[in-house]
């Protein structure tokens, strides 16, 4: 059976941007920004996207295109059976992320519908508290998942590519329109100020926490570490610069993310609510509350949550495709069987998250960061120490002069610097989950030794040895 490919270059880019732009930009980012000191978080997050996210994303694309396989098949193909576990980490990360993602997708779906009737206008806080977890949340999670399954089962070009080439431009246009309209609201200026002004003191005091949260979010927003970009790159037929594509994807994602911030923060402040109060529900309580008080609030609400729904769907599609491509490639399933199988699994795991705030919180905040970080560390060490020269060759394939110039610095970054940095945030993150604060020198030492040990083992197991 010949493997699917993207129809056009722009189709791949839009699908990848669709994967990147999602709840990460509109829901998780404002929530974390508010929790981590506003612009202090924004600055670190932008820096980490450039320094870690983009090279990491390219590292993932390299593996996907080189192998032309799903994550598990990719590592088997390129490194032999003993590296299949790296693909298994990706599958796990994908399952973890989609389990809570589709719960939030369900909330968004519900809010899109109830904006039309103004159901939550009178008492937004009570409304959200009544629907956030439990039977209703399970039902809407199932509905969101069903939509995801419906797109993915149509295939790479007829389903994913066709839908994302419509959705992504739609998201940009609608979000841009909202940003312009929001600028006319009284109080908007305070929102911009919170979003754009840097509190150096806060950053200095809380540097480590902000750093770990920002690193996790930089991976999350670029869809890196769960094999989604790897899988999308495996459908690339022609040779063109992965460095250029990866950079373009990140630039578009960041631009759309900043645009989303220009909508969300002024809206919050125009109502005089501090975004710090809301936690994961901020979007649904504070922001939704704003719609109730606005002229044409119902229309604005439907448009806003509709945009977010599109963004969430185009990301969920890419996560589901990780599991689906695995079942098709490795277990010889038809696309329909694979989609239903993966959908069935997520129906169960997502329902647990939809029923339990504790499970949801754990998955959405810390566990998601940890699995994505673990996944990316594995991918990059594989690039650096198993593929080695071949990774650079793949990086340079189809690339222009500039990309060939940066190929060596890129290689050093992904083989050494990024794994050590990511391992450091991983160790610190595990420490805070377990409630044992790990001092930075110790975390650095563990990261360096751990990465060196894994790199040495990987290099010895490389088939090119
Ligand atoms: N990048 C997506 C978002 O910002 C989430 C995502 C994470 C998608 C990991 C795929 C893989 O919403």
């Amino acid at each position: 059976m010949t493997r699917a490919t993207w129809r056009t270059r722009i189709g791949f880019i839009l699908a990848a941007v669709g994967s990147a732009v999602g709840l990460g930009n509109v829901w998780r980012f404002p929530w974390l920004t508010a929790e981590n000191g506003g612009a202090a978080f924004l600055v670190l997050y932008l820096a980490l996207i450039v320094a870690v996210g983009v090279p990491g994303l390219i590292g993932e694309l390299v593996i996907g295109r080189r192998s032309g396989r799903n994550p598990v098949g990719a590592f088997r193909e390129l490194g032999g059976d003993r590296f299949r576990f790296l693909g298994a980490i990706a599958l796990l990360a994908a399952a973890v992320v989609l389990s809570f993602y589709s719960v939030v997708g369900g909330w968004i779906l519900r809010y899109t519908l109830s904006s039309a009737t103004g159901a939550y206008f009178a008492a937004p806080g009570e409304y959200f508290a009544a629907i956030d977890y439990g039977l209703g949340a399970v039902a809407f999670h199932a509905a969101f998942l069903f939509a995801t399954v419906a797109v993915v089962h149509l295939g790479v070009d007829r389903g994913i590519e066709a839908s994302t080439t419509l959705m992504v431009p739609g998201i940009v246009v609608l979000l841009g329109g909202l940003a312009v309209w929001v600028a006319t609201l009284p109080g908007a200026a305070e929102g911009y100020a919170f979003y754009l002004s840097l509190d150096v003191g806060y950053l200095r005091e809380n540097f480590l926490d902000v750093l770990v949260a920002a690193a996790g979010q930089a991976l999350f927003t670029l869809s890196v570490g769960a094999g989604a970009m790897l899988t999308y790159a495996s459908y690339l037929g022609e040779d063109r610069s992965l460095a250029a594509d990866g950079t373009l994807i990140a630039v578009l994602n960041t631009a759309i993310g900043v645009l989303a911030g220009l909508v969300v923060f002024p809206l919050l402040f125009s109502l005089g609510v501090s975004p710090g109060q809301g936690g994961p529900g901020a979007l649904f309580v504070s922001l939704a509350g704003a719609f109730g008080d606005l002229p044409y609030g119902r229309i604005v609400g439907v448009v806003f949550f509709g945009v977010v729904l599109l963004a969430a769907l185009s990301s969920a599609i890419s996560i589901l495709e990780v599991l689906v491509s695995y079942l098709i490639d490795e277990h010889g399933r038809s696309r329909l069987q694979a989609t239903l199988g993966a959908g069935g699994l997520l129906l169960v795991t997502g329902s647990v998250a939809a029923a339990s705030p504790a499970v949801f919180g754990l998955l959405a905040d810390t566990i998601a960061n940890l699995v994505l970080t673990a996944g990316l560390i594995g991918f990059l060490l594989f690039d650096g120490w198993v593929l080695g020269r071949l990774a650079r060759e793949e990086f340079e394939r189809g690339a222009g002069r500039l990309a060939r110039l940066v190929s060596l610095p890129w290689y050093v970054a992904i083989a050494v610097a990024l794994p050590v940095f990511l391992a450091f945030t991983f160790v610190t993150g595990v420490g805070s989950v377990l409630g044992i604060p790990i001092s930075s020198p110790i975390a650095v030492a563990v990261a360096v030794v751990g990465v060196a040990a894994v790199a040495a083992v990987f290099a010895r197991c490389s088939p090119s040895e």
Side-chain angles (χ1 to χ4, degrees), residues 341-404:
L345 171 79
L346 287 155
L347 186 62
V348 175
T349 55
S351 294
V352 176
S356 156
V359 172
F360 176 90
L362 202 61
L363 290 180
D365 196 343
T366 30
I367 306 272
N369 282 351
L370 291 178
V371 283
L372 293 180
T373 307
L376 187 60
I377 295 173
F379 297 172
L380 296 185
L381 288 177
F382 185 85
D383 272 326
W385 301 94
V386 180
L387 291 182
R389 204 178 33 77
L390 297 180
R392 278 190 68 191
E393 194 181 293
E394 192 62 30
F395 180 97
E396 291 175 19
R397 194 148 71 91
R401 280 247 311 281
L402 182 64
R404 265 179 273 132

Side-chain angles (χ1 to χ4, degrees), residues 141-224:
H141 138 71
F144 179 82
L145 194 60
F146 181 79
T148 312
V149 164
V151 174
V152 171
H153 107 277
L154 289 175
V156 175
D157 50 356
R158 282 195 317 132
I160 301 176
E161 184 170 357
S163 63
T164 48
T165 23
L166 290 178
M167 285 195 270
V168 173
I171 292 166
V172 174
V173 170
L174 293 174
L175 215 49
L178 282 174
V180 170
W181 171 79
V182 156
T184 65
L185 295 176
E190 277 167 65
Y192 297 129
F194 170 81
Y195 185 39
L196 301 172
S197 69
L198 181 59
D199 181 351
V200 182
Y202 183 91
L203 191 57
R204 202 177 294 131
E205 269 164 47
N206 302 283
F207 185 73
L208 218 52
D209 289 342
V210 182
L211 182 76
V212 170
Q217 174 63 8
L219 303 192
F220 188 87
T221 192
L222 288 178
S223 304
V224 162

Side-chain angles (χ1 to χ4, degrees), residues 377-450:
I377 295 173
F379 297 172
L380 296 185
L381 288 177
F382 185 85
D383 272 326
W385 301 94
V386 180
L387 291 182
R389 204 178 33 77
L390 297 180
R392 278 190 68 191
E393 194 181 293
E394 192 62 30
F395 180 97
E396 291 175 19
R397 194 148 71 91
R401 280 247 311 281
L402 182 64
R404 265 179 273 132
L405 273 180
V406 295
S407 129
L408 185 60
W410 170 78
Y411 178 75
V412 175
I414 57 128
V416 182
L418 297 192
V420 170
F421 171 76
L422 291 168
F424 167 79
T425 65
F426 185 83
V427 172
T428 312
V430 170
S432 69
V433 176
L434 301 178
I436 348 174
I438 300 176
S439 77
S440 301
I442 293 183
V444 171
V446 173
V448 171
V449 173

Side-chain angles (χ1 to χ4, degrees), residues 262-290:
L262 291 177
V263 174
V264 172
F265 290 106
L267 261 181
L268 289 176
F269 279 85
S270 74
L271 256 214
V273 275
S274 149
Q277 302 155 351
L283 195 65
F284 300 98
V285 178
S286 317
L287 194 61

